[in-house]
Amino acid sequence: MTGTGARISGGRMWPWLALAVGAALAVPPAQDRVQERMQARAPDPDILYFASPDAIKKMALGYEGLLADIYWMRAIQYYGRREEAERRPVRYKNLAAMLDITSTLDPDMLDVYRAGSIFLAEPDPVGAGQPEQAVALLDKGIARHPAEWRLRLDKGFIYFWFLKDYRHAGQAWLDGSRLAAAPPWMAGLAAMALSRGGEIETAKMLWRQQLEQSERADIRENARNHLASTEVAETLWTLEFFIEKYKEKAGRPPRQLEDLVRAGFLRRVPVDPSGVPYDYEPASGYVGLAPETKVRYLKVPEEYRASFRRKLEELYGSASGRG
Amino acid sequence: MNIAVVARNTFRENIRDRVLYNLILFALVMTVSSIALGQLTLGYERKVIVDLGLSAISIFGTLIAIFIGIGLVHKELERRTVYALLSKPVRRHEFILGKYLGLLATLSVNVAVMTVGLWLSMLYQGGIEPAGYARILPAVYLIFLSLALTTALALVFSTFSTPALSALFTLFLWIAGHFNYDLLEFAATSRTAAMRRFFQALYYLVPNFSNFTSIDSRNVIQSAAYAQPVDWTAVGWTTVYGLVYSGALLALAVAVFSRRDFK
């Protein structure tokens, strides 16, 4: 046709364009309907498509570094997005697998072992509540970086705080203290853990180390919460101790905490680390954090209560001394 | 002389085909990720920038090597420009080598510009030692070597097959080449001597692309991101491997192309 000089002119474009826009507008609602059906049928939305770290490493085709970064970001999002975690049947079911994959893809990312072990070990709802998996992750890191003392510090820490296995904690710190780059206080830490009774002091020292030395804001925040919680626990145990002492002396519980000051047990009524006074119910003897407190209380091991009480008894056990 | 002329024309043609448009995409990827990654990676921004930048150089480069490489000869045949060229005093091996070098020139400009782009991203991130900037160069070099091999592979297929099939073959061999060490494992676990020899032969036959991605059992991109020391001997042997294998492929391409009759 063109050869004869005739021209094929274009037709009208607008009806087709309108149809394209109309169809495009129908796409989002259609997609939403499909997604609704998918969600209604899906038994568990928390799926890890590839679970074998070695298989993923092979399939990375040389882009392991990039894939490790993606898995690390995914692990952080998986752990950090609280609302998303609340919707899962098990909050952090796949966290250990994600960290295992990340550390296989890139064994040199120290944060994967260090921060990852804390994410794993913290009990539900803060973490996955899997301290054994945290130790396994740190062991993987130690095998790769045998000269890295901080991994042994973390391993001892998981044993000490989450597993209450002071012997293994002390051993991990002792091993760490023998490394060339280890700081001098690590041997002291090992000694403290291996001797009985010094648990809470060791714990406070460890959380303080994390607070001062970690470069990660989330880890520092966690350490701050634990230090505040330890302070709260110690104060509550002290208050309970003196309430009992008051009862022994006066034959009835104090009507308010100020009575303990008046009776000479305390110098002043304590407040929690956020400055809010503690709640006290004379009838039940309950003493605890007030609802308006800003402290994010993380459970302090019950075992520490006994040794702390022993210390109080040694100091004030015989008579109504000053607190 | 003729090789240089063909190479120059191939390079110009690639530029005319807007191959360098991918640089804009690369720039976009790097700029957006430099800004966004700070909030996502919590402490690993610099490593992620290097990982992302070097991976992008490799991925974009491989795509160009395959999709331009497969058309190098076929396009000339389709357009019948090959007749004009070969009727002039251009010999067939000069034509093939010129085509190859022309695409390598395009790739080297791409890789060079993307490397500068990566440096700029690293500069934007800040906090990187001067040695850190230099440390990405061995990785870039190895990526370029692997691109040279991919191009040679695509060129061989281009001499006797259609672009679609050539792309398929090249991509297949590129993927298989990352699993080469598994062939050695198969050989070791084979029950019969014939199977063992078969897998061993296959191990040497399939181009080993994992040579260019890991040196001394460390991934080259990752060790660049951590600024770890370079094993220069291993880099040297990888260079030899790349040159020898690419040379063999080019000779094969010339051989196939020399046998072809043009109607």
Side-chain angles (χ1 to χ4, degrees):
Chain A
M1 285 291 273
T2 46
T4 59
R7 187 163 167 256
I8 304 171
S9 44
R12 282 190 303 164
M13 182 186 71
W14 294 110
W16 292 107
L17 201 62
L19 185 66
V21 171
L25 287 175
V27 169
Q31 172 59 45
D32 290 347
R33 293 293 96 72
V34 174
Q35 201 188 348
E36 270 169 29
R37 300 285 300 163
M38 297 267 277
Q39 276 172 347
R41 279 181 222 158
D44 182 358
D46 190 15
I47 300 168
L48 200 62
Y49 291 98
F50 301 99
S52 160
D54 291 325
I56 294 173
K57 193 175 169 119
K58 270 197 185 298
M59 287 190 286
L61 301 177
Y63 302 111
E64 291 99 308
L66 189 64
L67 215 54
D69 300 339
I70 292 170
Y71 266 96
W72 177 231
M73 282 185 245
R74 175 85 186 97
I76 290 173
Q77 305 285 317
Y78 185 81
Y79 174 74
R81 284 195 185 149
R82 301 274 157 189
E83 283 175 18
E84 186 191 307
E86 294 299 326
R87 288 200 297 273
R88 291 185 209 122
V90 181
R91 271 189 199 85
Y92 301 112
K93 191 179 78 178
N94 287 329
L95 188 62
M98 281 183 195
L99 294 167
D100 192 20
I101 292 168
T102 313
S103 56
T104 300
L105 287 169
D106 186 349
D108 294 334
M109 282 175 98
L110 279 185
D111 261 14
V112 176
Y113 310 111
R114 300 204 67 206
S117 60
I118 298 284
F119 297 166
L120 276 176
E122 280 288 359
D124 189 75
V126 177
Q130 298 170 336
E132 290 87 0
Q133 301 271 24
V135 170
L137 181 67
L138 285 165
D139 277 338
K140 191 177 172 186
I142 290 168
R144 173 79 183 191
H145 304 276
E148 185 50 76
W149 62 270
R150 285 172 297 185
L151 294 175
R152 293 180 199 266
L153 174 71
D154 294 344
K155 182 180 168 183
F157 179 71
I158 303 290
Y159 270 123
F160 182 86
W161 184 260
F162 297 106
L163 290 166
K164 316 285 176 299
D165 183 341
Y166 306 131
R167 195 173 60 82
H168 276 101
Q171 196 54 52
W173 289 329
L174 203 59
D175 292 345
S177 69
R178 290 182 185 131
L179 295 171
W185 48 260
M186 212 160 160
L189 200 62
M192 256 178 12
L194 292 169
S195 67
R196 288 182 69 85
E199 294 93 344
I200 201 150
E201 291 309 314
T202 316
K204 281 197 281 191
M205 180 175 169
L206 284 164
W207 288 122
R208 219 169 285 127
Q209 284 290 339
Q210 282 205 1
L211 180 64
E212 286 163 11
Q213 292 191 353
S214 181
E215 288 167 10
R216 300 181 60 89
D218 49 357
I219 296 294
R220 282 201 305 273
E221 178 62 22
N222 192 47
R224 203 173 286 120
N225 287 335
H226 274 290
L227 274 174
S229 303
T230 315
E231 190 189 321
V232 168
E234 284 185 325
T235 309
L236 291 177
W237 294 335
T238 309
L239 285 172
E240 283 166 6
F241 177 79
F242 285 122
I243 288 167
E244 274 175 42
K245 288 273 160 212
Y246 186 97
K247 266 203 283 195
E248 277 172 26
K249 196 178 158 192
R252 60 166 178 82
R255 289 195 182 87
Q256 51 208 9
L257 291 176
E258 281 77 4
D259 290 352
L260 294 175
V261 179
R262 274 180 224 115
F265 287 113
L266 300 172
R267 286 201 187 91
R268 59 181 179 278
V269 176
V271 290
D272 74 24
S274 66
V276 177
Y278 289 97
D279 263 1
Y280 171 59
E281 289 168 15
S284 61
Y286 166 82
V287 57
L289 282 167
E292 59 270 29
T293 183
K294 289 186 181 63
V295 174
R296 184 165 187 216
Y297 187 74
L298 303 169
K299 211 167 157 13
V300 175
E302 269 304 303
E303 296 88 298
Y304 297 171
R305 180 197 281 264
S307 65
F308 188 77
R309 181 153 181 123
R310 265 199 308 279
K311 228 185 322 178
L312 284 173
E313 276 166 1
E314 278 167 25
L315 286 168
Y316 310 108
S318 54
S320 55
R322 290 182 72 86
Chain B
M1 251 335 259
N2 285 333
I3 296 175
V5 174
V6 177
R8 201 160 42 237
N9 279 324
T10 308
F11 178 73
R12 276 199 204 129
E13 200 182 337
N14 288 334
I15 303 295
R16 265 205 305 275
D17 283 350
R18 301 180 177 91
V19 168
L20 299 181
Y21 267 18
N22 89 88
L23 294 176
I24 299 169
L25 188 65
F26 175 81
L28 266 174
V29 168
M30 291 310 292
T31 313
V32 172
S33 51
S34 304
I35 298 162
L37 287 176
Q39 283 133 44
L40 287 174
T41 53
L42 296 170
Y44 276 107
E45 301 85 358
R46 276 165 266 167
K47 175 195 177 286
V48 175
I49 284 288
V50 176
D51 279 341
L52 188 72
L54 290 174
S55 301
I57 292 174
S58 164
I59 293 167
F60 285 126
T62 305
L63 290 176
I64 294 173
I66 293 177
F67 290 102
I68 307 288
I70 53 167
L72 279 179
V73 175
H74 193 271
K75 217 153 76 175
E76 301 282 350
L77 290 172
E78 206 175 45
R79 286 193 208 142
R80 301 186 168 265
T81 39
V82 74
Y83 303 100
L85 269 168
L86 295 180
S87 59
K88 283 180 190 161
V90 176
R91 292 156 78 183
R92 294 195 182 193
H93 75 269
E94 291 173 335
F95 174 76
I96 291 290
L97 291 179
K99 283 276 159 194
Y100 178 71
L101 293 176
L103 182 49
L104 274 201
T106 313
L107 282 168
S108 53
V109 170
N110 257 282
V111 169
V113 176
M114 288 194 276
T115 305
V116 173
L118 174 56
W119 275 332
L120 290 176
S121 293
M122 289 163 78
L123 203 65
Y124 175 80
Q125 268 301 325
I128 300 172
E129 303 275 310
Y133 290 87
R135 182 57 186 81
I136 66 167
L137 289 176
V140 171
Y141 169 71
L142 288 168
I143 289 171
F144 184 74
L145 270 185
S146 106
L147 297 182
L149 182 56
T150 311
T151 308
L153 203 58
L155 184 63
V156 171
F157 291 123
S158 171
T159 56
F160 64 84
S161 185
T162 62
L165 281 178
S166 300
L168 206 67
F169 294 147
T170 313
L171 203 62
F172 169 74
L173 278 177
W174 182 81
I175 293 171
H178 285 92
F179 293 91
N180 236 4
Y181 288 105
D182 287 334
L183 292 171
L184 267 191
E185 292 244 16
F186 293 157
T189 52
S190 291
R191 290 201 183 141
T192 62
M195 284 306 279
R196 204 159 37 243
R197 274 197 294 277
F198 170 73
F199 283 121
Q200 273 167 351
L202 214 55
Y203 168 70
Y204 291 113
L205 197 66
V206 175
N208 197 338
F209 281 101
S210 56
N211 282 351
F212 306 100
T213 59
S214 54
I215 290 286
D216 189 22
S217 83
R218 278 177 190 273
N219 183 287
V220 291
I221 294 179
Q222 279 176 37
S223 55
Y226 289 114
Q228 286 162 343
V230 186
D231 179 356
W232 291 109
T233 315
V235 173
W237 282 113
T238 306
T239 307
V240 172
Y241 176 85
L243 290 176
V244 171
Y245 205 116
S246 302
L249 286 174
L250 286 176
L252 183 66
V254 172
V256 173
F257 193 64
S258 304
R259 290 277 302 156
R260 278 195 76 153
D261 297 325
F262 301 109
K263 289 176 205 159

